[in-house]
Amino acid sequence: DPAPKQVCLHLGMFEIDKPLGKGKFGRVYLVKHRVSGFVCALKVLNKAEIIRENAEKHVRREIEVHSNLRHPGILAFYGWFHDTRRIFLLLEYAPGGELFRVLRRVGRFSERRAATCAVQVAQALNCLHSKNVMHRDIKPENILFGLHGELKVADFGYSVHAPSNRRDTLCGTLDYLPPEMLSTKAKYTKAVDQWTLGVLTYEFLVGEAPFEDTPFMTRKRIIKGDMTPLPDSVSTEAKDFVHSV
Ligand SMILES: O=C(O)Cn1ncc2ncnc(NCCc3cnc(NC(=O)Nc4cccc(Cl)c4)s3)c21
């Protein structure tokens, strides 16, 4: 529980380069550690906001879970500190930016790139699941690219980005939700993440989600399993993979 002066010391240790993105509870900045020159992402959360949103447990759990994950395919968590008003999370900086933007810009990935990305997400999910953690929110908006184009799975959490062309509805896009999460009854398991891996791979290959529609219709189509068929240009192997997860 560092005293305020240590926090100032901590903050003073960093030079703030530029804002990276805007979350619901605060902002993310690109920062450089003055002494070592180490570059990372500083996520600043506003305590008053967290209390107002009754999200203390969510933030506590995020720190607890994220600090226990070490995997090249998961955005690294380096540490945290706080002062009276704010909580600061030190995260790995992913210079390749958001997969969402890259996918929108290029339209869709080649089968090779789609396969490479799907494998990296699967390996990151394996790490999460081995620690009995479900991600539950795998989608292009939560995945970043590292320096060499490798994928970094993250969980922006409730961070509702500044209004942009994202598909966020109140609680994020419905496109990725598996049937069991739409029907309140079912208790969902890690299979939730496998389902989203299939939806994600479909979107890599096609450039849009398999059940993309109005929110009401997306719900119906997911529950019915009524997905837009993959185009003939997609190989049988790729089709088999998407249908299997
Ligand atoms: O900021 C932008 O818009 C884009 N941008 N661009 C570059 C860049 N480099 C780093 N971070 C960025 N943004 C912060 C993203 C996050 C915020 N909060 C997180 N928390 C989390 O991932 N938690 C977590 C908890 C448990 C399990 C798991 Cl897998 C994850 S990640 C970057």
Side-chain angles (χ1 to χ4, degrees):
D1 207 351
K5 73 177 180 321
Q6 275 169 317
V7 169
C8 298
L9 179 74
H10 282 347
L11 263 189
M13 286 157 78
F14 294 97
E15 174 191 306
I16 299 207
D17 288 356
K18 63 172 182 172
L20 278 173
K22 206 171 113 29
K24 179 166 188 176
F25 299 126
R27 292 173 177 277
V28 183
Y29 298 92
L30 178 61
V31 299
K32 182 170 18 189
H33 186 250
R34 289 187 203 284
V35 174
S36 64
F38 186 73
V39 169
C40 56
L42 183 72
K43 179 174 177 178
V44 185
L45 300 173
N46 180 300
K47 283 187 178 178
E49 177 81 47
I50 291 169
I51 293 167
R52 218 186 344 269
E53 300 280 335
N54 203 4
E56 298 98 307
K57 280 194 183 52
H58 171 80
V59 174
R60 236 182 263 283
R61 177 158 164 67
E62 163 164 5
I63 293 175
E64 184 198 326
V65 169
H66 204 179
S67 56
N68 280 306
L69 297 168
R70 281 212 203 339
H71 187 276
I74 293 176
L75 194 76
F77 177 93
Y78 296 130
W80 68 285
F81 50 97
H82 67 114
D83 65 10
T84 45
R85 288 185 299 116
R86 298 161 294 183
I87 296 172
F88 303 92
L89 306 186
L90 283 169
L91 304 169
E92 174 181 6
Y93 171 53
E98 295 176 279
L99 179 139
F100 182 80
R101 281 186 210 283
V102 172
L103 191 53
R104 282 293 169 275
R105 194 175 59 235
V106 305
R108 57 189 166 81
F109 290 163
S110 67
E111 293 212 4
R112 171 171 295 283
R113 187 169 193 188
T116 311
C117 291
V119 164
Q120 290 176 30
V121 173
Q123 288 166 338
L125 287 177
N126 258 341
C127 170
L128 279 170
H129 292 171
S130 69
K131 298 189 186 260
N132 237 359
V133 172
M134 293 182 279
H135 188 288
R136 282 178 277 206
D137 201 10
I138 291 288
K139 55 188 176 183
E141 291 87 335
N142 265 334
I143 298 174
L144 295 162
F145 277 116
L147 191 58
H148 308 294
E150 72 281 19
L151 287 194
K152 301 283 177 183
V153 169
D155 183 355
F156 286 50
Y158 295 130
S159 64
V160 178
H161 288 269
S164 68
N165 57 355
R166 281 187 180 70
R167 297 163 293 190
D168 283 345
T169 55
L170 186 67
C171 62
T173 173
L174 293 171
D175 284 312
Y176 280 74
L177 289 181
E180 61 269 32
M181 275 182 94
L182 288 171
S183 59
T184 46
K185 317 180 268 306
K187 181 90 195 75
Y188 50 81
T189 65
K190 299 171 186 172
V192 161
D193 290 334
Q194 273 135 24
W195 170 279
T196 52
L197 177 61
V199 176
L200 188 66
T201 310
Y202 180 107
E203 184 159 357
F204 288 156
L205 292 164
V206 177
E208 53 187 49
F211 305 102
E212 204 149 312
D213 211 313
T214 61
F216 172 74
M217 279 310 293
T218 298
R219 234 173 234 279
K220 266 171 70 81
R221 293 181 56 195
I222 290 172
I223 291 175
K224 268 175 58 189
D226 162 28
M227 74 179 214
T228 313
L230 282 153
D232 294 343
S233 53
V234 173
S235 72
T236 325
E237 295 82 352
K239 280 188 182 150
D240 291 349
F241 174 74
V242 170
H243 291 133
S244 69
V245 282

